[in-house]
Amino acid sequence: VERGFAPSSEEIRWARAVVEAFEKAAGSAVRLDGKLIDLPLVARARRMLADVERGGASIPRKAFLL
């Protein structure tokens, strides 16, 4: 059942890109692919990546979609 809620590889790549862009901006808001990346979005991306690392999916996929 959890696999059905697991983020897709595209969503994982997005989350990694978000975190990387934010870290390169030294914690400031930044644009990625024309979209503003701010703290709440970074927190969502980090939760997704942490969940993937644990091998589970506690947050429905829809919560990750923009």
Side-chain angles (χ1 to χ4, degrees):
V1 171
E2 286 189 4
R3 268 190 236 156
F5 290 106
S8 68
S9 59
E10 182 178 323
E11 291 167 323
I12 294 168
R13 280 192 299 274
W14 167 84
R16 287 182 179 142
V18 165
V19 171
E20 183 179 328
F22 188 75
E23 288 174 353
K24 283 182 181 179
S28 298
V30 65
R31 287 198 179 275
L32 178 67
D33 299 329
K35 295 181 181 177
L36 180 65
I37 304 298
D38 57 5
L39 281 174
L41 199 55
V42 173
R44 183 186 311 172
R46 286 181 173 155
R47 280 192 310 268
M48 180 192 306
L49 293 174
D51 205 32
V52 167
E53 286 180 18
R54 283 193 311 270
S58 59
I59 303 171
R61 288 182 66 188
K62 287 183 180 177
F64 296 129
L65 301 177
L66 296 177

